[in-house]
Amino acid sequence: MVKNSFISVTFQEKKKESSGSVEFQVLSFTNKIQRLTSHLELHRKDYLSQRGLRKVLEKRQRLLSYLSKKNRVRYKELISQLNIRESKNR
């Protein structure tokens, strides 16, 4: 829970400035992934939510690969702030 509050506080100020930026989109997908993961821990057979989780994971992965190609420094900062592993396919 502490990590979630840190993420929301860190990017709350940036939300007003740039809600369409890649970093903000990755942040919102990360929050959605955390919510769906906690939901699926309780409801293991909710296959529609599993499908939604896979779709959000793929979207986030595409955005992260785009960011790593365009600006490697911003990619590294975002990965370290959100505690996301780097992708294997670079």
Side-chain angles (χ1 to χ4, degrees), residues 18-52:
S18 59
S19 61
S21 69
V22 176
E23 289 91 348
F24 181 78
Q25 290 180 29
V26 170
L27 170 71
S28 64
F29 285 143
T30 303
N31 288 336
K32 190 179 285 192
I33 288 167
Q34 290 172 349
R35 275 198 326 266
L36 283 170
T37 304
S38 65
H39 170 77
L40 287 171
E41 287 174 356
L42 296 174
H43 310 283
R44 294 183 188 273
K45 294 194 175 189
D46 189 356
Y47 298 115
L48 289 176
S49 292
Q50 289 177 8
R51 181 175 184 259

Side-chain angles (χ1 to χ4, degrees), residues 25-38 40 48-66 75 79 82-89:
Q25 290 180 29
V26 170
L27 170 71
S28 64
F29 285 143
T30 303
N31 288 336
K32 190 179 285 192
I33 288 167
Q34 290 172 349
R35 275 198 326 266
L36 283 170
T37 304
S38 65
L40 287 171
L48 289 176
S49 292
Q50 289 177 8
R51 181 175 184 259
L53 177 63
R54 283 193 300 267
K55 288 177 81 170
V56 172
L57 283 168
E58 291 171 8
K59 283 183 184 179
R60 185 179 75 175
Q61 187 59 44
R62 277 181 286 182
L63 281 172
L64 285 172
S65 79
Y66 167 79
Y75 171 75
I79 292 294
L82 296 179
N83 272 345
I84 301 173
R85 291 180 294 180
E86 281 196 52
S87 66
K88 296 181 238 176
N89 305 332

